[in-house]
Amino acid sequence: MIKRIIIGLFCFLMITSSIYADASTSEALKLEGSFKIGPAIILILILGIFISVGLLNKAKDTQDYWAAGRKISRVGSGMAIASNWMSAASFLGMAAIMYGSGYHGLSYVVGWTGGYVLLLVLMAAQIRRFGKYTAPDFIGDRFYSKGLRATTAVVAILISISYCVGQFGGIGLMFKWILGIDYVWAVIIGASVVLGYTLISGMLGVTKNMQIQYVIIIISFIIPLYILMIKFNYFWLLPQIGYGQVVSDIVAGIAPGEFLTSTAHGYAILPSPEFAMPWDTATGKTFFQWMATCFALMVGTAGLPHVIQRFYVVPKTNDARWSVVWGLFFISLLYWSAPVYSAFGKILSAAPEVGALAKDAIVVYTAQLGKIHPLVVGFLAAGAISAAFSTVSGLLVAGASAFSHDLYYKVINPSASAETQMKMARLGTVLMSIIVASIALLKLALIAQLVAVAFSLAGCTIFPLFLLGIWWSRANREGAIAGLVTGIIVSLIAIIYFIAGKYGVQLPAHEAINYWINPWYFAWFGAPLAILVNIVVSLMTEDTPLEIKKFLAEKVHST
């Protein structure tokens, strides 16, 4: 069915493209403020496909809603992992960060990719062998504590909300660009659509949709790159390599007439060494910040509830490991390509008539300024929305599972029926969507930066519990509680200082705190500290129960 849907989509695009073949490419410079009919048709069609797939794969029970019935293949799960991972932060945010801060933005690429390698090596198979539906479920059973289960459920919900905020912001930007409507209404409309099909589908329909979304994401992202490389006479057979010459031109500068903008006027670009030099003083960033960001994103990846939950949708333990391998392959196709947009965006947006551009929309703006056909640009924007939708739906399901399964069923009402649990899951999904949309309207930071907060929070709280819970049988309840409290305290300090600074409130040692435990990378400090506290307290208190040690040895670490 998925193959037929994809083939039908591309047939439609070809027919529509021929209808609009004579459309004026003067639309390319209308960056915002106008309704774009071709892109709007593509968007409506794609959203219709998502909702239809959700209806055809509707969750019938809690196992379908939380774990897709555990019947997703390795490759299918890998595509779903990649789609779930390649959020608006990947599709839009990485290019935005690199466009604004050059080489420093690559710390996001390295950190996020390295995080999946960490998952593959340390956790994927072990998590699947443990056999629980959610991260709080694992933590509650491994550390034999209802209190820890409830606390980590709340933390999982907060992580999902934090991660979702950036995605809703990306959805709002793209709906605003396509429909020419106000950002507020764009966020509301986009949130309503993704909420609707998540409520219907659960993890089963969401996972099926993610496979389609991945194809849309990667094709819509790569096609414009080839067009740009050919159009401006760079090595186009492999844009991920050929763009190195674009970066060299940015670093060295471009003389008038050597590069033509989309308006066909030659102009000069001053040398920008910071775009390719790791810690050039012009970037305003340091070696420490680059490394701290990489580390925080790596450990955060291994602690994200919606990522961990993907290991439960495959039939067997070995499938969990292979799904990560396939996921890494699918992810790398986009990650290797994102810097191309930042490089071309740097050149094309330098024309005086363009003016300042919103960094988070630079991917779409680059395609427009490169004078690519409006329908191709529209498909690119639809790919960005697909990226945000795929991640949001996974996050909403993960958050709803924590609310319904781990808080309501496991702690508050253990006698709740499956039907009642489904109702609570859907209620949790609605409440999360309302909260996330409200925060997204505040525009607190760039998409990638907002997402980085969720990663650091996960790295400080859930990652240490999974790492020690899997690999150190001596880790006990008391150590887990102490480590979790430590991670939460570090997270609260970083977030409170960030919000206070955002609204002009100067707290004590504001500059030092903002530098050393910045909201984008505070896990570099919080995660090791939480692990250390966990180990020390565990060694000072009663040993882990024998039955848990036996389960770890016989089930989790058996091959």
Side-chain angles (χ1 to χ4, degrees):
M1 182 189 71
I2 293 174
K3 290 181 180 178
R4 289 197 296 269
I5 289 173
I6 293 168
I7 292 170
L9 172 63
F10 284 102
C11 288
F12 170 83
L13 288 174
M14 291 180 68
I15 294 170
T16 311
S17 182
S18 65
I19 293 173
Y20 289 96
D22 295 327
S24 172
T25 53
S26 63
E27 286 185 41
L29 288 179
K30 296 178 182 178
L31 298 181
E32 286 190 355
S34 61
F35 177 79
K36 300 172 179 64
I37 185 168
I41 292 172
I42 295 172
L43 173 63
I44 292 169
L45 174 68
I46 288 175
L47 294 181
I49 290 173
F50 294 165
I51 294 171
S52 299
V53 171
L55 288 169
L56 291 172
N57 295 277
K58 185 177 179 180
K60 299 179 179 64
D61 53 35
T62 53
Q63 187 165 334
D64 278 351
Y65 199 85
W66 293 327
R70 287 183 171 166
K71 51 191 177 185
I72 304 299
S73 69
R74 295 175 179 180
V75 177
S77 179
M79 292 178 71
I81 284 175
S83 178
N84 193 30
W85 181 250
M86 291 189 303
S87 62
S90 297
F91 199 101
L92 299 174
M94 283 197 305
I97 287 286
M98 287 181 278
Y99 169 75
S101 56
Y103 189 94
H104 182 79
L106 281 176
S107 59
Y108 286 77
V109 179
V110 174
W112 281 330
T113 308
Y116 258 104
V117 176
L118 193 66
L119 268 175
L120 173 63
V121 173
L122 291 180
M123 295 185 178
Q126 289 74 23
I127 290 171
R128 180 62 183 83
R129 288 192 193 111
F130 203 94
K132 297 301 177 181
Y133 281 117
T134 65
D137 217 5
F138 167 89
I139 291 167
D141 281 16
R142 167 61 183 84
F143 295 104
Y144 44 98
S145 170
K146 278 191 174 182
L148 271 174
R149 183 193 303 275
T151 304
T152 51
V154 172
V155 170
I157 292 170
L158 293 175
I159 290 169
S160 296
I161 288 173
S162 177
Y163 204 133
C164 272
V165 169
Q167 313 312 312
F168 275 45
I171 291 170
L173 281 173
M174 292 300 98
F175 268 73
K176 176 185 176 184
W177 179 84
I178 292 173
L179 303 179
I181 59 177
D182 182 74
Y183 176 77
V184 173
W185 282 108
V187 171
I188 292 172
I189 293 171
S192 300
V193 175
V194 73
L195 172 62
Y197 98 82
T198 303
L199 287 174
I200 293 168
S201 308
M203 187 64 83
L204 179 60
V206 162
T207 301
K208 293 291 186 181
N209 255 320
M210 285 176 181
Q211 296 172 36
I212 298 170
Q213 287 162 342
Y214 174 78
V215 176
I216 293 171
I217 289 168
I218 202 65
I219 292 177
S220 68
F221 199 76
I222 288 179
I223 286 176
L225 296 183
Y226 279 95
I227 297 173
L228 288 170
M229 298 296 283
I230 293 170
K231 189 166 189 174
F232 294 108
N233 297 317
Y234 289 99
F235 178 73
W236 61 269
L237 287 177
L238 200 59
Q240 296 83 354
I241 293 177
Y243 92 98
Q245 184 58 51
V246 187
V247 173
S248 296
D249 289 343
I250 293 171
V251 172
I254 299 176
E258 288 186 8
F259 197 98
L260 298 179
T261 71
S262 54
T263 54
H265 296 300
Y267 63 97
I269 297 179
L270 295 176
S272 303
E274 73 278 5
F275 198 79
M277 302 303 289
W279 305 287
D280 190 280
T281 53
T283 66
K285 306 294 182 181
T286 65
F287 171 77
F288 160 74
Q289 289 176 305
W290 200 93
M291 294 300 296
T293 301
C294 284
F295 180 85
L297 295 178
M298 285 180 66
V299 298
T301 298
L304 286 176
H306 76 288
V307 172
I308 292 170
Q309 196 161 335
R310 298 239 52 90
F311 302 135
Y312 303 127
V313 306
V314 292
K316 295 179 291 186
T317 299
N318 200 38
D319 294 331
R321 185 182 286 114
W322 274 104
S323 66
V324 180
V325 175
W326 279 108
L328 269 170
F329 168 72
F330 292 131
I331 289 167
S332 68
L333 294 179
L334 184 138
Y335 274 29
W336 290 336
S337 305
V340 189
Y341 281 101
S342 64
F344 272 108
K346 188 78 172 178
I347 294 178
L348 292 170
S349 66
E353 65 270 24
V354 173
L357 297 177
K359 293 184 180 69
D360 275 332
I362 196 61
V363 168
V364 174
Y365 291 156
T366 297
Q368 281 185 284
L369 292 170
K371 216 171 183 182
I372 294 176
H373 193 284
L375 279 181
V376 177
V377 182
F379 188 43
L380 179 65
I385 292 172
S386 297
F389 269 42
S390 62
T391 301
V392 166
S393 56
L395 287 164
L396 291 178
V397 169
S401 299
F403 177 73
S404 174
H405 181 69
D406 299 301
L407 272 180
Y408 182 75
Y409 175 61
K410 291 287 188 176
V411 177
I412 299 172
N413 184 12
S415 61
S417 65
E419 183 181 357
T420 302
Q421 291 180 62
M422 285 290 288
K423 288 180 180 178
M424 295 305 295
R426 291 188 169 110
L427 174 62
T429 305
V430 173
L431 291 175
M432 280 182 60
S433 297
I434 294 172
I435 293 169
V436 169
S438 301
I439 299 173
L441 295 175
L442 299 177
K443 296 184 180 180
L444 293 173
L446 293 174
I447 293 171
Q449 292 173 326
L450 289 171
V451 168
V453 175
F455 279 78
S456 274
L457 180 56
C460 288
T461 54
I462 292 180
F463 170 73
L465 296 178
F466 266 83
L467 181 68
L468 295 177
I470 290 172
W471 293 107
W472 191 45
S473 61
R474 184 66 176 81
N476 63 14
R477 176 178 56 202
E478 290 73 19
I481 292 171
L484 181 60
V485 170
T486 301
I488 290 173
I489 291 172
V490 173
S491 303
L492 284 175
I493 292 172
I495 293 171
I496 288 171
Y497 268 77
F498 165 65
I499 294 174
K502 195 72 179 176
Y503 290 96
V505 179
Q506 291 290 314
L507 297 176
H510 177 81
E511 289 188 9
I513 294 293
N514 191 53
Y515 180 78
W516 291 108
I517 51 173
N518 187 282
W520 324 140
Y521 53 74
F522 59 84
W524 83 268
F525 174 73
L529 183 62
I531 291 170
L532 178 62
V533 170
N534 191 324
I535 292 172
V536 171
V537 174
S538 291
L539 291 173
M540 294 173 61
T541 53
E542 189 177 349
D543 199 358
T544 307
L546 183 60
E547 61 268 24
I548 292 179
K549 287 187 173 184
K550 186 177 179 181
F551 179 80
L552 288 171
E554 294 180 355
K555 300 293 183 181
V556 177
H557 295 295
S558 63
T559 57

